[in-house]
mmCIF file of all heavy atoms in Angstrom:
data_model
loop_
_atom_site.group_PDB
_atom_site.id
_atom_site.type_symbol
_atom_site.label_atom_id
_atom_site.label_comp_id
_atom_site.label_asym_id
_atom_site.label_seq_id
_atom_site.Cartn_x
_atom_site.Cartn_y
_atom_site.Cartn_z
ATOM 1 N N LEU B 511 -146.599 104.934 -38.657
ATOM 2 C CA LEU B 511 -145.655 104.449 -37.655
ATOM 3 C C LEU B 511 -145.940 102.944 -37.306
ATOM 4 O O LEU B 511 -144.960 102.180 -37.282
ATOM 5 C CB LEU B 511 -145.885 105.322 -36.415
ATOM 6 C CG LEU B 511 -144.996 104.881 -35.265
ATOM 7 C CD1 LEU B 511 -143.513 105.201 -35.494
ATOM 8 C CD2 LEU B 511 -145.457 105.544 -33.918
ATOM 9 N N MET B 518 -140.985 96.075 -40.089
ATOM 10 C CA MET B 518 -139.686 95.712 -39.662
ATOM 11 C C MET B 518 -139.719 94.371 -38.905
ATOM 12 O O MET B 518 -138.806 93.559 -39.026
ATOM 13 C CB MET B 518 -139.115 96.813 -38.800
ATOM 14 C CG MET B 518 -138.637 98.006 -39.687
ATOM 15 S SD MET B 518 -138.310 99.486 -38.764
ATOM 16 C CE MET B 518 -137.395 100.507 -39.852
ATOM 17 N N THR B 525 -136.823 86.130 -41.507
ATOM 18 C CA THR B 525 -135.444 85.598 -41.628
ATOM 19 C C THR B 525 -135.196 84.508 -40.667
ATOM 20 O O THR B 525 -134.140 83.853 -40.757
ATOM 21 C CB THR B 525 -134.420 86.747 -41.278
ATOM 22 O OG1 THR B 525 -134.675 87.226 -39.912
ATOM 23 C CG2 THR B 525 -134.578 87.844 -42.275
ATOM 24 N N GLU B 753 -102.266 78.680 -45.157
ATOM 25 C CA GLU B 753 -103.721 79.049 -45.474
ATOM 26 C C GLU B 753 -103.789 80.315 -46.316
ATOM 27 O O GLU B 753 -104.674 80.405 -47.098
ATOM 28 C CB GLU B 753 -104.552 79.305 -44.147
ATOM 29 C CG GLU B 753 -104.103 80.521 -43.271
ATOM 30 C CD GLU B 753 -105.169 80.944 -42.159
ATOM 31 O OE1 GLU B 753 -106.403 80.581 -42.437
ATOM 32 O OE2 GLU B 753 -104.827 81.467 -41.229
ATOM 33 N N VAL B 754 -102.801 81.202 -46.222
ATOM 34 C CA VAL B 754 -102.729 82.227 -47.077
ATOM 35 C C VAL B 754 -101.715 82.034 -48.262
ATOM 36 O O VAL B 754 -101.912 81.890 -49.486
ATOM 37 C CB VAL B 754 -102.358 83.561 -46.418
ATOM 38 C CG1 VAL B 754 -102.047 84.613 -47.419
ATOM 39 C CG2 VAL B 754 -103.483 83.963 -45.479
ATOM 40 N N GLN B 758 -102.407 81.232 -53.178
ATOM 41 C CA GLN B 758 -102.240 82.236 -54.169
ATOM 42 C C GLN B 758 -102.361 81.942 -55.597
ATOM 43 O O GLN B 758 -102.893 82.734 -56.420
ATOM 44 C CB GLN B 758 -100.873 82.885 -53.913
ATOM 45 C CG GLN B 758 -100.811 83.500 -52.420
ATOM 46 C CD GLN B 758 -101.979 84.428 -52.240
ATOM 47 O OE1 GLN B 758 -102.277 85.358 -52.903
ATOM 48 N NE2 GLN B 758 -102.670 84.202 -50.965
ATOM 49 N N LEU B 847 -111.296 75.860 -52.785
ATOM 50 C CA LEU B 847 -111.592 77.273 -52.878
ATOM 51 C C LEU B 847 -112.247 77.809 -54.113
ATOM 52 O O LEU B 847 -112.251 79.005 -54.410
ATOM 53 C CB LEU B 847 -110.198 78.067 -52.509
ATOM 54 C CG LEU B 847 -109.451 77.630 -51.295
ATOM 55 C CD1 LEU B 847 -108.222 78.346 -51.249
ATOM 56 C CD2 LEU B 847 -110.220 77.940 -50.069
ATOM 57 N N LEU B 893 -120.424 75.743 -52.361
ATOM 58 C CA LEU B 893 -119.142 76.353 -51.972
ATOM 59 C C LEU B 893 -118.233 75.471 -51.327
ATOM 60 O O LEU B 893 -118.602 74.742 -50.465
ATOM 61 C CB LEU B 893 -119.453 77.634 -51.146
ATOM 62 C CG LEU B 893 -120.313 78.731 -51.601
ATOM 63 C CD1 LEU B 893 -120.852 79.633 -50.723
ATOM 64 C CD2 LEU B 893 -119.464 79.491 -52.636
ATOM 65 N N ILE B 912 -118.283 74.352 -47.415
ATOM 66 C CA ILE B 912 -118.567 75.791 -46.891
ATOM 67 C C ILE B 912 -120.106 75.984 -46.869
ATOM 68 O O ILE B 912 -120.722 76.432 -45.956
ATOM 69 C CB ILE B 912 -117.936 76.895 -47.701
ATOM 70 C CG1 ILE B 912 -116.330 76.745 -47.587
ATOM 71 C CG2 ILE B 912 -118.348 78.241 -47.165
ATOM 72 C CD1 ILE B 912 -115.547 77.694 -48.385
ATOM 73 N N GLN B 931 -129.155 69.842 -48.003
ATOM 74 C CA GLN B 931 -128.443 70.504 -46.875
ATOM 75 C C GLN B 931 -127.843 69.332 -45.976
ATOM 76 O O GLN B 931 -128.564 68.288 -45.843
ATOM 77 C CB GLN B 931 -129.296 71.348 -45.911
ATOM 78 C CG GLN B 931 -129.522 72.669 -46.482
ATOM 79 C CD GLN B 931 -128.307 73.556 -46.343
ATOM 80 O OE1 GLN B 931 -127.786 73.684 -45.245
ATOM 81 N NE2 GLN B 931 -127.949 74.144 -47.364
ATOM 82 N N TYR B 934 -123.556 69.485 -39.936
ATOM 83 C CA TYR B 934 -123.126 70.735 -40.759
ATOM 84 C C TYR B 934 -121.662 70.514 -41.234
ATOM 85 O O TYR B 934 -120.968 69.790 -40.607
ATOM 86 C CB TYR B 934 -123.117 71.884 -39.911
ATOM 87 C CG TYR B 934 -124.439 72.228 -39.105
ATOM 88 C CD1 TYR B 934 -124.604 71.720 -37.810
ATOM 89 C CD2 TYR B 934 -125.584 72.787 -39.807
ATOM 90 C CE1 TYR B 934 -125.732 71.867 -37.204
ATOM 91 C CE2 TYR B 934 -126.699 72.970 -39.124
ATOM 92 C CZ TYR B 934 -126.923 72.523 -37.792
ATOM 93 O OH TYR B 934 -127.998 72.689 -37.128
ATOM 94 N N SER B 935 -121.394 71.261 -42.266
ATOM 95 C CA SER B 935 -119.875 71.261 -42.779
ATOM 96 C C SER B 935 -119.432 69.848 -43.082
ATOM 97 O O SER B 935 -118.538 69.204 -42.500
ATOM 98 C CB SER B 935 -118.996 71.840 -41.720
ATOM 99 O OG SER B 935 -119.363 73.176 -41.424
ATOM 100 N N LYS B 962 -123.015 70.518 -33.409
ATOM 101 C CA LYS B 962 -123.670 71.563 -32.608
ATOM 102 C C LYS B 962 -124.988 71.163 -32.045
ATOM 103 O O LYS B 962 -125.018 70.300 -31.043
ATOM 104 C CB LYS B 962 -123.827 72.855 -33.287
ATOM 105 C CG LYS B 962 -122.545 73.535 -33.484
ATOM 106 C CD LYS B 962 -122.742 74.869 -33.953
ATOM 107 C CE LYS B 962 -121.443 75.695 -34.105
ATOM 108 N NZ LYS B 962 -121.548 76.949 -34.886
ATOM 109 N N ASP B 963 -126.043 71.572 -32.527
ATOM 110 C CA ASP B 963 -127.377 71.457 -31.892
ATOM 111 C C ASP B 963 -128.041 70.100 -32.327
ATOM 112 O O ASP B 963 -129.284 69.875 -32.182
ATOM 113 C CB ASP B 963 -128.297 72.579 -32.334
ATOM 114 C CG ASP B 963 -128.500 72.706 -33.723
ATOM 115 O OD1 ASP B 963 -127.715 72.086 -34.502
ATOM 116 O OD2 ASP B 963 -129.503 73.408 -34.211
ATOM 117 N N GLU C 205 -126.574 84.267 -41.402
ATOM 118 C CA GLU C 205 -127.123 82.975 -41.305
ATOM 119 C C GLU C 205 -126.473 82.002 -42.312
ATOM 120 O O GLU C 205 -126.268 82.224 -43.400
ATOM 121 C CB GLU C 205 -128.693 83.068 -41.701
ATOM 122 C CG GLU C 205 -129.400 83.824 -40.741
ATOM 123 C CD GLU C 205 -130.886 83.868 -40.913
ATOM 124 O OE1 GLU C 205 -131.318 83.250 -42.061
ATOM 125 O OE2 GLU C 205 -131.688 84.234 -40.112
ATOM 126 N N PRO C 207 -125.863 77.423 -42.489
ATOM 127 C CA PRO C 207 -126.171 76.084 -41.833
ATOM 128 C C PRO C 207 -125.240 75.923 -40.667
ATOM 129 O O PRO C 207 -125.792 75.227 -39.656
ATOM 130 C CB PRO C 207 -125.869 75.108 -42.919
ATOM 131 C CG PRO C 207 -125.982 75.898 -44.204
ATOM 132 C CD PRO C 207 -125.418 77.211 -43.915
ATOM 133 N N GLN C 208 -123.968 76.191 -40.792
ATOM 134 C CA GLN C 208 -123.100 75.811 -39.725
ATOM 135 C C GLN C 208 -123.291 76.453 -38.377
ATOM 136 O O GLN C 208 -122.779 76.213 -37.442
ATOM 137 C CB GLN C 208 -121.663 75.936 -40.048
ATOM 138 C CG GLN C 208 -121.085 75.193 -41.224
ATOM 139 C CD GLN C 208 -121.231 75.874 -42.530
ATOM 140 O OE1 GLN C 208 -122.293 76.627 -42.763
ATOM 141 N NE2 GLN C 208 -120.299 75.691 -43.417
ATOM 142 N N TYR C 209 -124.161 77.547 -38.502
ATOM 143 C CA TYR C 209 -124.386 78.418 -37.327
ATOM 144 C C TYR C 209 -125.821 78.362 -36.905
ATOM 145 O O TYR C 209 -126.549 79.402 -36.958
ATOM 146 C CB TYR C 209 -123.930 79.785 -37.513
ATOM 147 C CG TYR C 209 -122.374 79.789 -37.673
ATOM 148 C CD1 TYR C 209 -121.745 79.673 -38.963
ATOM 149 C CD2 TYR C 209 -121.549 80.048 -36.572
ATOM 150 C CE1 TYR C 209 -120.434 79.797 -39.047
ATOM 151 C CE2 TYR C 209 -120.269 79.987 -36.686
ATOM 152 C CZ TYR C 209 -119.588 79.885 -37.862
ATOM 153 O OH TYR C 209 -118.274 79.919 -38.029
ATOM 154 N N PRO C 210 -126.276 77.175 -36.540
ATOM 155 C CA PRO C 210 -127.651 77.047 -36.136
ATOM 156 C C PRO C 210 -128.048 77.943 -34.959
ATOM 157 O O PRO C 210 -129.201 78.406 -34.785
ATOM 158 C CB PRO C 210 -127.810 75.545 -35.753
ATOM 159 C CG PRO C 210 -126.509 75.187 -35.411
ATOM 160 C CD PRO C 210 -125.568 75.878 -36.307
ATOM 161 N N GLU C 211 -127.058 78.271 -34.163
ATOM 162 C CA GLU C 211 -127.306 79.112 -33.008
ATOM 163 C C GLU C 211 -127.285 80.590 -33.291
ATOM 164 O O GLU C 211 -127.531 81.505 -32.452
ATOM 165 C CB GLU C 211 -126.286 78.860 -31.856
ATOM 166 C CG GLU C 211 -124.845 79.370 -32.152
ATOM 167 C CD GLU C 211 -124.057 78.411 -33.041
ATOM 168 O OE1 GLU C 211 -124.561 77.713 -33.861
ATOM 169 O OE2 GLU C 211 -122.777 78.533 -32.897
ATOM 170 N N HIS C 238 -111.321 86.568 -42.376
ATOM 171 C CA HIS C 238 -109.924 86.494 -42.748
ATOM 172 C C HIS C 238 -109.683 85.597 -43.979
ATOM 173 O O HIS C 238 -108.850 85.771 -44.719
ATOM 174 C CB HIS C 238 -109.050 86.239 -41.560
ATOM 175 C CG HIS C 238 -108.613 84.799 -41.456
ATOM 176 N ND1 HIS C 238 -109.342 83.734 -41.036
ATOM 177 C CD2 HIS C 238 -107.415 84.218 -41.967
ATOM 178 C CE1 HIS C 238 -108.789 82.678 -41.138
ATOM 179 N NE2 HIS C 238 -107.642 82.862 -41.545
ATOM 180 N N THR C 311 -104.195 88.868 -51.063
ATOM 181 C CA THR C 311 -103.549 87.484 -50.841
ATOM 182 C C THR C 311 -104.508 86.626 -50.131
ATOM 183 O O THR C 311 -104.231 85.501 -49.642
ATOM 184 C CB THR C 311 -102.204 87.548 -50.084
ATOM 185 O OG1 THR C 311 -102.535 88.113 -48.664
ATOM 186 C CG2 THR C 311 -101.289 88.576 -50.653
ATOM 187 N N ALA C 313 -107.213 83.750 -49.042
ATOM 188 C CA ALA C 313 -107.292 82.415 -49.558
ATOM 189 C C ALA C 313 -108.398 82.257 -50.362
ATOM 190 O O ALA C 313 -108.238 81.626 -51.445
ATOM 191 C CB ALA C 313 -107.535 81.488 -48.236
ATOM 192 N N LYS C 315 -110.730 83.849 -53.102
ATOM 193 C CA LYS C 315 -110.878 85.052 -53.924
ATOM 194 C C LYS C 315 -111.863 84.634 -55.034
ATOM 195 O O LYS C 315 -111.519 83.606 -55.747
ATOM 196 C CB LYS C 315 -109.570 85.437 -54.634
ATOM 197 C CG LYS C 315 -108.604 86.280 -53.695
ATOM 198 C CD LYS C 315 -107.548 86.982 -54.369
ATOM 199 C CE LYS C 315 -106.613 85.977 -55.106
ATOM 200 N NZ LYS C 315 -105.494 85.575 -54.273
ATOM 201 N N LEU C 332 -121.570 84.648 -50.212
ATOM 202 C CA LEU C 332 -121.157 83.122 -50.128
ATOM 203 C C LEU C 332 -122.148 82.316 -49.390
ATOM 204 O O LEU C 332 -123.282 82.278 -49.797
ATOM 205 C CB LEU C 332 -119.796 83.108 -49.520
ATOM 206 C CG LEU C 332 -118.674 83.623 -50.343
ATOM 207 C CD1 LEU C 332 -117.304 83.468 -49.663
ATOM 208 C CD2 LEU C 332 -118.453 83.207 -51.752
ATOM 209 N N ASN C 333 -121.668 81.623 -48.371
ATOM 210 C CA ASN C 333 -122.644 80.699 -47.792
ATOM 211 C C ASN C 333 -123.543 81.452 -46.696
ATOM 212 O O ASN C 333 -124.351 80.747 -46.126
ATOM 213 C CB ASN C 333 -121.933 79.462 -47.135
ATOM 214 C CG ASN C 333 -120.913 79.939 -46.163
ATOM 215 O OD1 ASN C 333 -120.216 80.884 -46.336
ATOM 216 N ND2 ASN C 333 -120.733 79.085 -45.026
ATOM 217 N N ILE C 337 -128.184 89.781 -43.023
ATOM 218 C CA ILE C 337 -129.438 90.579 -42.782
ATOM 219 C C ILE C 337 -129.164 91.684 -41.872
ATOM 220 O O ILE C 337 -128.588 91.474 -40.765
ATOM 221 C CB ILE C 337 -130.522 89.644 -42.141
ATOM 222 C CG1 ILE C 337 -130.851 88.473 -43.056
ATOM 223 C CG2 ILE C 337 -131.802 90.451 -41.872
ATOM 224 C CD1 ILE C 337 -131.449 87.321 -42.299
ATOM 225 N N TYR C 345 -134.681 101.704 -33.662
ATOM 226 C CA TYR C 345 -136.057 101.976 -33.941
ATOM 227 C C TYR C 345 -136.440 103.111 -32.898
ATOM 228 O O TYR C 345 -137.196 103.940 -33.398
ATOM 229 C CB TYR C 345 -136.859 100.739 -33.317
ATOM 230 C CG TYR C 345 -136.948 99.621 -34.436
ATOM 231 C CD1 TYR C 345 -136.552 98.321 -34.065
ATOM 232 C CD2 TYR C 345 -137.308 99.774 -35.738
ATOM 233 C CE1 TYR C 345 -136.445 97.443 -34.987
ATOM 234 C CE2 TYR C 345 -137.347 98.809 -36.678
ATOM 235 C CZ TYR C 345 -136.884 97.502 -36.312
ATOM 236 O OH TYR C 345 -136.774 96.540 -37.298
ATOM 237 N N LEU C 352 -139.704 110.421 -35.964
ATOM 238 C CA LEU C 352 -141.030 110.527 -36.498
ATOM 239 C C LEU C 352 -141.958 111.318 -35.632
ATOM 240 O O LEU C 352 -142.696 112.116 -36.105
ATOM 241 C CB LEU C 352 -141.620 109.081 -36.509
ATOM 242 C CG LEU C 352 -142.798 108.864 -37.402
ATOM 243 C CD1 LEU C 352 -142.345 109.065 -38.931
ATOM 244 C CD2 LEU C 352 -143.219 107.379 -37.278
#
Side-chain angles (χ1 to χ4, degrees):
Chain B
L511 177 70
M518 283 170 169
T525 57
E753 66 165 332
V754 168
Q758 297 307 310
L847 305 176
L893 298 163
I912 297 175
Q931 279 286 309
Y934 307 95
S935 298
K962 284 189 180 173
D963 63 343
Chain C
E205 293 185 351
Q208 295 93 326
Y209 293 89
E211 74 277 28
H238 98 280
T311 66
K315 285 196 294 273
L332 291 185
N333 55 322
I337 298 154
Y345 288 121
L352 202 64

